[in-house]
Amino acid sequence: MNQTMHDFKAGMNMMVNEAPTVMKALDGFMNEVLCNRALDSKTKELIALGMAITASSIIASGFMSIAPCWRV
């Protein structure tokens, strides 16, 4: 899991360097998705975690633990 998350972070950093416009657009999208409107952010995080567990996705569940770290 540690190596997977390390590789994921490295890939995100590469995307920030190689495609900064795309990453800024993704950051804007994620900010809109995570803002508190109909559902608070904790509820959204729990839904995403449940989806990741259901899908048995190591990367997706690990992503939730580092999501704030990759923002531009």
Side-chain angles (χ1 to χ4, degrees), residues 14 17-19 23 27 29 36 38 41 43 48 53 63 68-70:
M14 184 175 68
N17 293 328
E18 298 292 325
M23 292 306 289
D27 185 54
F29 171 76
N36 292 329
S41 58
T43 301
I53 292 169
F63 172 75
C69 302
W70 64 269

Side-chain angles (χ1 to χ4, degrees), residues 1-67:
M1 178 67 177
N2 287 339
Q3 183 62 45
T4 301
M5 291 314 303
H6 179 270
D7 293 345
F8 177 76
K9 288 179 185 180
M12 293 305 289
N13 287 333
M14 184 175 68
M15 287 294 293
V16 167
N17 293 328
E18 298 292 325
T21 305
V22 172
M23 292 306 289
K24 285 182 183 180
L26 178 61
D27 185 54
F29 171 76
M30 291 301 293
N31 286 332
E32 285 298 312
V33 168
L34 295 175
C35 71
N36 292 329
R37 291 202 179 122
L39 298 174
D40 62 69
S41 58
K42 181 56 75 177
T43 301
K44 292 176 189 178
E45 289 175 10
L46 290 171
I47 291 168
L49 182 58
M51 292 169 63
I53 292 169
T54 300
S56 299
S57 173
I58 293 170
I59 293 174
S61 60
F63 172 75
M64 291 307 298
S65 68
I66 60 107

